[in-house]
Amino acid sequence: MVLITGMGMITALGNSVPENLEALLCNKQAVRYPQLLQTRHHKELQVGEADLTNEALAAALDLPLTGYSRTTLLGMYALREALSALPPEQRSTRRIAFINASTVGGMSEVERMYSDMISDAPRGEFFDYIDSVDCADCTLRMAAYFKLEGFQTTISTACSSAANALQLGARMIENDETDIAICGGTDALTRFTLNGFNALKNVDRNLSRPFDQNRNGLNLGEGAAYLVLESAISAQERGVEPIARLAGYGNTNEAHHPTAPSPDGSGAARTMQEALTVAGIAATDIDYINAHGTATQGNDLSEGTAIEKLFGTAHPPFSSTKAFTGHTLAASGAVEAIICCLAIQHRFIPANLRFETPMEEISIVPQATLLRDVGVQYALSNSFGFGGNNVSLVLQRV
Amino acid sequence: MKPVYITHTSAIIPQHQEAGALLEPLIPDERQRFAVIEPDYTTVIPPMQLRRMSRVLRMGVYTGMDCLRKANLARPDGILTGTAKGSMTDTEKFVKELKSYDETALNPTPFILSTYNAINGAIALQTGATGYNQTFVHRGSSFEAALYDAQLKLHTVQDPQHYLVGCFDELTEEYFHIKDKVGYWKKDRDNSLPLWQQNDSPGSIGGEGAAFFLLSNHSDGAVAAIKRVFTFYNTGNSAPLASIQGQIEREGWTAADADLLVLGYNGDPADDPCYDQVRNLLGNKLPVLGFKHLCGEYETSGGFALWLTCQLLSGNDLPEAAWYQKPAGQDFRPRKIVYYNHFRGVNHNLVLLEGL
């Protein structure tokens, strides 16, 4: 049995799990024009940007001002919160795996310095970031900072990266490969990703409207989120109350198109079904679906169709919390797994903000408003990415 | 964990690999680097798709598809890859265009292709493989992480399954230039000397390659069994000897059982002592297969090493120059093989293999 015994997160909604919870419960509007990201689109494209500057993050972590990418700093900040449930003296006696995820690693800084990096200048500001081009840099630095010396790896499967980190961690615990797996992901806002999605015409100039007929793309976000997965034996020995259980997971590939999901939702339905099968439950057992819900034309049609296909018209409430946070890319799978845990713990269904008009192609609609005092026994969290990399997770009340 | 079995392999390497002329003649590095010999991609990739692919995508997709072709398998049950850099060419292109076009009128293609899982997606698309799909990007342990996950995942299923597991990394001019600033490469290199005989100057030589393996949870038609994969992190400039010994013992082997070492000697005096330490641990008289003098130093060079080992196990003879320490006698067919490789002292990898 894989239990969740710690959580940490930072998003545009807040700098901690309690702040994110509070924001979800008051329908906080956090997506706005960027204050920190340097881009020519700063008056056109709204984003989910974390409040803290790099300087503030570095100061909070007692780190020097340079050398750490924003992706690393966000990751460390969230991981510190997650690890607060796992005191150092309890770490030394256990096998601890660290499974991180990122889509562009240190690009947040590298994109500013790249021309200096490839210039003939042997030294310069870039020098401190010279190894930050890849996605492993943030993982290595985070592991060094928190002295995580066991198994570690980094996953990059686009928007399903952190969800994949979680399913690998769960599988390692189930097969007694580790006692604890700290899993999640981190991605800072970058010009690279903002312009990439914008060039693909996947970015809405207005605030995103997941599952709405008039949706017009995503708002990009940033953030980091980590969950401490732990075997039941280890959690019992430590005497900790589990937050929830990671009961099932599915990982499948769409095999449909490099960047677009199948319109009939067959890929998404297969992933969700696999997660239900691994959890040993039926679709009717699910009480809440945290949808991938990017608000792009393609995703919401595919995912909405798949939910309708699998759950029918008596479907459980579903919402996309990307309308709150923006699309945090590699972090999103962990951000949304934590939101599912919060829904289970605090008995609520987060709103699908800005939903107005039902989609023509499907007969189901998302949960537009916040629901309180709702028992959630099982929650399903979807993360679907470029390359057809789909992951679904099942979270269970314990 | 139960072993997984290697049934088929394919690689794109900087050396010759034609039938009967494996590594012959040996191609030396030039300008402190190796570049792969690219095959005729059109034999396995439809021309329409080929046109849209950049260099490392071609390398990765070709090798994966070629591996399936050799196995006469239309569709793998899973696809797992490791890459440190993904399509570096596309990343470089998009980051430079951001600046030169001032964030306007950008072509999204390099952005899409820079995604690390693009090759996984392309192979899945081409084969209709809807099963498990995963991409590891953990610098010098990317490939080994994919092997580890493949073993873990295959361990959990009973029915015969075949996973396509591979790695790919390209060496671009810009990457070479950037890493030159942090001393990755030798300043002077006499390429008439084996790389490890030039370990009196810092740095190594750059490399690249792609390699794919078909792994199964059943041993039918296998050339080797992967018994154990272990990655270690940041043990500095010394090999994690206690952990290596522990893993060997947990496998039920003794240190004296190993009959072949596959070690990542790269001619850098900062890196090579680790390999000497492993030899001292397991036996200085054992044959040692070197490989970075054939493919260069790069994060997923383990793919080349495993591919070369499989060629040996398949009955191919390797030329004398391939060996760091050559075996005595003819027809050397090792049974218990220890692969140890590290990338700049940060990522250390151990694989225990059994020749079948």
Side-chain angles (χ1 to χ4, degrees):
Chain A
M1 184 183 292
V2 179
L3 300 172
I4 295 163
T5 57
M7 306 191 293
M9 74 197 294
I10 177 168
T11 70
L13 281 182
N15 302 330
S16 64
V17 172
E19 284 184 28
N20 273 268
L21 171 64
E22 181 60 32
L24 289 167
L25 294 179
C26 69
N27 290 330
K28 179 178 171 182
Q29 174 52 55
V31 176
R32 53 175 167 65
Y33 294 111
Q35 314 283 306
L36 304 174
L37 178 71
Q38 300 296 308
T39 169
R40 74 169 288 151
H41 303 298
H42 69 104
K43 288 181 179 162
E44 300 152 44
L45 301 179
Q46 302 178 77
V47 294
E49 186 174 63
D51 280 339
L52 295 177
T53 62
N54 287 5
E55 290 73 16
L57 289 164
L61 293 159
D62 202 17
L63 287 170
L65 271 177
T66 62
Y68 293 88
S69 70
R70 184 165 177 82
T71 299
T72 303
L73 293 168
L74 290 169
M76 286 179 175
Y77 197 85
L79 185 52
R80 186 173 65 170
E81 185 187 15
L83 285 174
S84 63
L86 185 63
E89 65 273 14
Q90 294 182 355
R91 291 176 208 166
S92 55
T93 55
R94 286 173 174 78
R95 293 170 297 169
I96 300 179
F98 176 38
I99 306 171
N100 194 30
S102 187
T103 64
V104 286
M107 185 55 76
S108 44
E109 277 62 38
V110 169
E111 64 187 7
R112 276 197 293 122
M113 303 171 189
Y114 194 71
S115 52
D116 294 335
M117 279 188 186
I118 59 174
S119 76
D120 288 333
R123 289 286 186 280
E125 190 196 2
F126 71 83
F127 197 75
D128 291 332
Y129 297 92
I130 207 155
D131 286 329
S132 303
V133 184
D134 70 16
C135 287
D137 179 69
C138 55
T139 313
L140 292 164
R141 287 175 187 255
M142 289 165 72
Y145 183 80
F146 293 104
K147 300 188 173 61
L148 299 170
E149 289 160 353
F151 176 86
Q152 62 167 249
T153 195
T154 316
I155 286 174
S156 194
T157 56
C159 312
S160 57
S161 302
N164 260 325
L166 284 158
Q167 66 85 32
L168 174 58
R171 207 144 26 78
M172 285 181 71
I173 290 171
E174 286 164 353
N175 288 281
D176 195 28
E177 286 285 296
T178 192
D179 302 308
I180 290 171
I182 299 156
C183 306
T186 178
D187 260 328
L189 280 166
T190 68
R191 287 197 293 273
F192 192 93
T193 40
L194 183 67
N195 283 283
F197 285 108
N198 196 35
L200 274 165
K201 309 208 182 321
N202 273 349
V203 179
D204 197 332
R205 304 216 147 226
N206 301 303
L207 293 175
S208 71
R209 313 171 73 92
F211 297 105
D212 192 287
Q213 176 66 23
N214 301 315
R215 69 192 181 282
N216 198 21
L218 55 80
N219 301 138
L220 201 59
E222 68 178 355
Y226 295 91
L227 294 93
V228 178
L229 306 185
E230 186 163 6
S231 72
I233 294 167
S234 175
Q236 195 177 18
E237 280 172 1
R238 294 201 302 124
V240 290
E241 277 296 312
I243 295 162
R245 176 184 172 209
L246 180 49
Y249 42 80
N251 166 314
T252 69
N253 194 280
E254 290 262 349
H256 173 74
H257 182 271
T259 58
S262 56
D264 68 359
S266 54
R270 195 163 45 236
T271 314
M272 289 189 275
Q273 182 57 60
E274 186 174 299
L276 296 176
T277 303
V278 169
I281 60 172
T284 47
D285 292 324
I286 296 290
D287 303 305
Y288 168 56
I289 303 167
N290 187 296
H292 185 53
T294 54
T296 59
Q297 292 294 333
N299 178 80
D300 290 10
L301 174 59
S302 171
E303 189 177 16
T305 305
I307 291 171
E308 184 170 38
K309 190 181 278 182
L310 201 58
F311 294 89
T313 45
H315 63 88
F318 67 97
S319 61
S320 165
T321 47
K322 288 188 177 70
F324 279 99
T325 58
H327 189 351
T328 58
L329 299 182
S332 63
V335 166
E336 290 158 26
I338 291 177
I339 291 174
C340 286
C341 290
L342 293 173
I344 288 170
Q345 273 187 310
H346 300 276
R347 299 173 52 82
F348 72 97
I349 306 288
N352 188 104
L353 296 179
R354 298 184 288 277
F355 172 79
E356 283 175 7
T357 313
M359 291 164 59
E360 282 169 4
E361 301 92 338
I362 55 175
S363 60
I364 59 173
V365 295
Q367 177 59 40
T369 56
L370 174 71
L371 283 180
R372 300 297 300 263
D373 299 316
V374 192
V376 179
Q377 185 70 25
Y378 287 100
L380 181 71
S381 178
N382 288 338
S383 298
F384 304 147
F386 272 13
N389 280 103
N390 291 355
V391 179
S392 295
L393 304 172
V394 174
L395 291 307
Q396 181 189 1
R397 175 193 291 279
V398 285
Chain B
M1 273 196 285
K2 288 179 267 187
V4 285
Y5 299 92
I6 303 175
T7 61
H8 297 83
T9 68
S10 178
I12 295 179
I13 61 172
Q15 302 291 337
H16 294 288
Q17 53 172 307
E18 296 80 12
L22 182 62
L23 309 181
E24 294 200 60
L26 223 59
I27 298 175
D29 50 292
E30 295 281 350
R31 299 189 303 131
Q32 285 91 285
R33 75 196 78 178
F34 276 112
V36 294
I37 302 171
E38 295 189 66
D40 175 7
Y41 292 116
T42 58
T43 56
V44 296
I45 307 175
M48 280 286 283
Q49 284 175 37
L50 197 58
R51 261 207 313 272
R52 289 195 290 261
M53 288 180 180
S54 50
R55 186 167 177 264
V56 81
L57 265 93
R58 294 172 174 211
M59 287 164 57
V61 172
Y62 174 91
T63 330
M65 294 303 297
D66 185 52
C67 197
L68 292 175
R69 182 175 65 167
K70 286 176 178 165
N72 200 20
L73 185 70
R75 181 174 301 142
D77 299 300
I79 303 171
L80 298 90
T81 63
T83 180
K85 307 190 285 279
S87 180
M88 204 65 211
T89 300
D90 287 298
T91 302
E92 291 166 357
K93 191 168 183 206
F94 198 69
V95 80
K96 284 183 290 187
E97 286 179 359
L98 272 180
K99 193 173 164 103
S100 54
Y101 295 114
D102 194 20
E103 299 185 58
T104 55
L106 287 160
N107 171 7
T109 303
F111 172 69
I112 297 165
L113 298 182
S114 75
T115 325
Y116 294 84
N117 58 329
I119 288 174
N120 282 53
I123 297 174
L125 185 58
Q126 200 170 328
T127 59
T130 57
Y132 189 66
N133 199 296
Q134 191 70 279
T135 305
F136 292 92
V137 293
H138 200 54
R139 200 175 289 169
S141 290
S142 304
F143 171 59
E144 291 80 1
L147 283 182
Y148 171 77
D149 189 24
Q151 185 181 14
L152 180 62
K153 181 82 178 158
L154 281 170
H155 177 74
T156 64
V157 289
Q158 296 301 321
D159 298 336
Q161 296 234 306
H162 301 278
Y163 285 2
L164 191 58
V165 182
C167 57
F168 39 84
D169 270 301
E170 64 175 328
L171 179 60
T172 64
E173 283 296 327
E174 288 178 11
Y175 175 83
F176 190 91
H177 178 76
I178 290 170
K179 296 301 186 183
D180 192 38
K181 297 184 184 185
V182 275
Y184 270 36
W185 323 121
K186 286 194 182 301
K187 298 291 179 204
D188 300 301
R189 164 82 180 125
D190 175 358
N191 70 359
S192 68
L193 289 175
L195 187 56
W196 52 73
Q197 284 179 22
Q198 244 193 324
N199 62 3
D200 52 352
S201 67
S204 186
I205 55 173
E208 61 176 11
F212 270 85
F213 304 85
L214 202 60
L215 300 190
S216 177
N217 48 353
H218 284 237
S219 62
D220 301 350
V223 294
I226 297 176
K227 308 285 278 186
R228 190 170 284 268
V229 182
F230 212 81
T231 60
F232 318 87
Y233 140 78
N234 219 14
T235 60
N237 287 328
S238 56
L241 295 177
S243 304
I244 290 174
Q245 183 143 19
Q247 292 299 321
I248 287 173
E249 284 166 6
R250 278 181 62 189
E251 197 46 56
W253 296 4
T254 67
D257 283 343
D259 52 12
L260 171 66
L261 305 181
V262 182
L263 299 175
Y265 281 105
N266 70 357
D268 188 330
D271 292 340
D272 281 354
C274 289
Y275 304 114
D276 293 336
Q277 291 162 16
V278 172
R279 290 186 70 202
N280 289 336
L281 177 73
L282 298 176
N284 277 309
K285 298 218 162 53
L286 285 176
V288 177
L289 194 55
F291 54 93
K292 288 178 186 166
H293 64 305
L294 306 171
C295 70
E297 175 66 287
Y298 62 104
E299 299 88 338
T300 52
S301 62
F304 178 88
L306 186 59
W307 177 85
L308 189 61
T309 307
C310 288
Q311 306 318 301
L312 179 70
L313 293 172
S314 305
N316 292 293
D317 287 317
L318 304 182
E320 204 172 304
W323 294 94
Y324 183 88
Q325 178 156 300
K326 67 176 175 154
Q330 298 291 307
D331 290 329
F332 173 63
R333 295 292 171 257
R335 292 298 308 271
K336 288 190 165 63
I337 303 155
V338 176
Y339 155 88
Y340 164 70
N341 188 18
H342 74 92
F343 188 75
R344 300 188 65 79
V346 174
N347 304 114
H348 298 255
N349 307 291
L350 176 76
V351 180
L352 304 183
L353 279 171
E354 205 160 77
L356 298 175

